Amino acid sequence: MLRTAEITAELTDRATGDNSHNLYWSSRLQFSVDCFVCERRGRTQMYECGAERALCSGSRKGFQSHYTAGRITAYDSTTGADRLALRALVDFWWAPFQDARDDKAAMAPTSHPWVRLHLGSHCPKAKEAGKHSIQSNLVRPHRLRCGHCESVIATDASAPTIRLLN
């Protein structure tokens, strides 16, 4: 059965002016899903805008990753004076199963949904690109700092939300 999850996030207190790091959302995200292919619960699946399938982390032992039916169907970013917002729709296939390891029933989405969103930036002082991420299980508020000049480039005040639409 096809399921759709809406993932939203917002960063505030974005650095502007001479300290602007041109912060932007990356085209990829990681999302926890109970995977019917490997019949394991709580797998981290990697999604990329434009890709027709997702990559599941597979079993924790041996890390046997595999492709699975899932994709990003919408990815909208909004930039305000001092904020940066994201809304993504993720489609994934789900079917009931019992976990191959602990014999517990799968859920859609998983019983503890988790997401990691990736960002990019450009440091005006070092003239270097930077990579950042936020995830739903961080302590808030979380300040994103430039890895080159240590400036605070935005604040992650609230966790990204995950909402099952169907």
Side-chain angles (χ1 to χ4, degrees):
M1 131 184 19
L2 181 65
R3 306 303 301 231
T4 301
E6 177 186 54
I7 299 168
T8 57
E10 181 177 85
L11 299 176
T12 58
D13 303 326
R14 199 170 62 112
T16 58
D18 291 343
N19 197 31
S20 173
H21 279 67
N22 298 318
L23 190 63
Y24 62 92
W25 296 106
S26 173
S27 63
R28 62 189 177 99
L29 62 86
Q30 293 165 295
F31 180 43
S32 64
V33 176
D34 288 356
C35 180
F36 73 96
V37 175
C38 62
E39 293 188 342
R40 294 299 314 276
R41 297 180 327 126
R43 301 298 91 190
T44 298
Q45 295 186 350
M46 285 67 77
Y47 293 82
E48 179 83 34
C49 281
E52 292 297 322
R53 58 189 178 179
L55 184 65
C56 176
S57 62
S59 174
R60 286 192 175 110
K61 283 191 172 182
F63 194 73
Q64 299 169 353
S65 60
H66 59 86
Y67 289 111
T68 189
R71 65 187 181 131
I72 297 172
T73 56
Y75 201 83
D76 304 315
S77 176
T78 306
T79 305
D82 70 340
R83 62 187 275 290
L84 184 65
L86 174 73
R87 178 179 176 262
L89 296 180
V90 176
D91 281 353
F92 59 96
W93 280 96
W94 182 86
F97 64 87
Q98 294 297 115
D99 189 288
R101 183 171 169 200
D102 63 16
D103 201 37
K104 292 185 179 176
M107 300 173 75
T110 187
S111 59
H112 300 287
W114 170 88
V115 66
R116 178 183 293 135
L117 303 168
H118 297 272
L119 299 107
S121 67
H122 186 269
C123 178
K125 293 177 186 171
K127 301 194 183 336
E128 295 282 336
K131 293 182 179 180
H132 315 274
S133 68
I134 63 169
Q135 56 196 56
S136 52
N137 59 351
L138 290 176
V139 174
R140 302 293 189 300
H142 172 73
R143 289 174 176 63
L144 275 75
R145 293 188 177 273
C146 174
H148 305 289
C149 69
E150 291 300 316
S151 295
V152 174
I153 56 178
T155 300
D156 178 18
S158 61
T161 61
I162 303 165
R163 187 171 62 124
L164 193 61
L165 299 181
N166 62 0

